[in-house]
Amino acid sequence: NAGVTQTPKFQVLKTGQSMTLQCAQDMNHEYMSWYRQDPGMGLRLIHYSVGAGITDQGEVPNGYNVSRSTTEDFPLRLLSAAPSQTSVYFCASSPHRGGTYEQYFGPGTRLTVT
Amino acid sequence: AQSVAQPEDQVNVAEGNPLTVKCTYSVSGNPYLFWYVQYPNRGLQFLLKYITGDNLVKGSYGFEAEFNKSQTSFHLKKPSALVSDSALYFCAVRDMRTGANNLFFGTGTRLTVIP
């Protein structure tokens, strides 16, 4: 049981480039989400999904796209990278129902945009 | 608006002493509150939660938290700090508007336990 996995661990992009951050979980969780962590700001929600085919925006969605074609995978796409997207990105998952609210986090992807 | 606040960026405590990391919340209705810990270059790990019931909640690694409705607080505590407790601690509250498990996080408190 690998839990939540994220690739890559590190990435450097030039302004204007695009890329996809990968996230997968093997716990059959319906809920998955992406957060970004910036110094002094805690974690902020980018996008989330409560099941395959269902996605919605979080607090800071601009510049990011997501899709959820399977229960296991929830990739985050940066369409045209900007220096303001330099951050550490965390994917998380949890059951959507059943009263278990705690989330399981991946190890993170550290992204630098130059 | 729903939010949590962690008023201290940094908390230093001597090994063996009790520790407290503070959190206050602002929500409409009954809050679902959480504490997570982040060790260097790692993801967040769940410590404990308050959903309903006893105001004193016990969690992993000997941590506990006290829910205080009148003071809108959910402080994290441990009776005897270990050097290995040194980490970044986040308080979070569930967003009750959407029905999903979305969280609002505080800005984090860095705990340093001094040997």
Side-chain angles (χ1 to χ4, degrees):
Chain A
N1 192 333
V4 180
T5 57
Q6 292 183 236
T7 55
K9 284 187 167 46
F10 302 94
Q11 183 70 49
V12 178
L13 290 180
K14 295 186 186 305
T15 298
Q17 288 184 318
S18 63
M19 79 160 295
T20 298
L21 280 63
Q22 302 292 343
C23 174
Q25 53 92 8
D26 61 359
M27 297 173 282
N28 201 32
H29 287 165
E30 302 96 332
Y31 174 87
M32 296 185 74
S33 57
W34 278 100
Y35 292 86
R36 59 177 289 173
Q37 181 180 19
D38 301 295
M41 300 189 73
L43 280 77
R44 292 178 293 167
L45 182 66
I46 304 171
H47 285 286
Y48 68 97
S49 168
V50 298
I54 306 169
T55 63
D56 209 340
Q57 295 182 351
E59 189 182 352
V60 288
N62 292 343
Y64 307 95
N65 272 358
V66 292
S67 59
R68 184 94 181 269
S69 55
T70 66
T71 300
E72 294 79 19
D73 300 299
F74 191 45
L76 178 72
R77 296 182 186 84
L78 279 70
L79 307 173
S80 177
S84 61
Q85 293 179 304
T86 293
S87 186
V88 182
Y89 292 83
F90 289 101
C91 180
S93 75
S94 73
H96 178 43
R97 296 180 180 85
T100 301
Y101 303 103
E102 57 262 35
Q103 298 190 29
Y104 296 79
F105 283 80
T109 294
R110 186 174 295 273
L111 175 68
T112 302
V113 183
T114 61
Chain B
Q2 301 172 86
S3 64
V4 291
Q6 294 180 244
E8 301 159 318
D9 291 335
Q10 174 84 40
V11 170
N12 297 326
V13 64
E15 186 177 21
N17 282 3
L19 69 87
T20 298
V21 182
K22 296 180 180 177
C23 173
T24 59
Y25 65 89
S26 174
V27 300
S28 302
N30 296 321
Y32 290 14
L33 294 159
F34 304 82
W35 276 101
Y36 285 84
V37 60
Q38 184 180 32
Y39 297 101
N41 300 313
R42 302 285 295 275
L44 277 69
Q45 296 179 30
F46 169 77
L47 276 180
L48 50 80
K49 66 184 177 191
Y50 173 83
I51 306 299
T52 187
D54 289 341
N55 289 342
L56 186 64
V57 179
K58 294 189 184 296
S60 305
Y61 312 122
F63 284 94
E64 57 189 29
E66 185 169 11
F67 172 69
N68 188 317
K69 189 170 185 177
S70 62
Q71 297 187 3
T72 62
S73 67
F74 188 55
H75 300 333
L76 182 70
K77 301 182 180 185
K78 188 174 182 182
S80 180
L82 300 172
V83 173
S84 57
D85 293 329
S86 299
L88 187 57
Y89 290 81
F90 289 99
C91 181
V93 64
R94 186 173 186 251
D95 183 354
M96 304 304 279
R97 300 170 300 175
T98 65
N101 281 343
N102 300 336
L103 297 175
F104 290 108
F105 283 88
T107 52
T109 298
R110 186 164 302 281
L111 173 68
T112 300
V113 181
I114 303 162

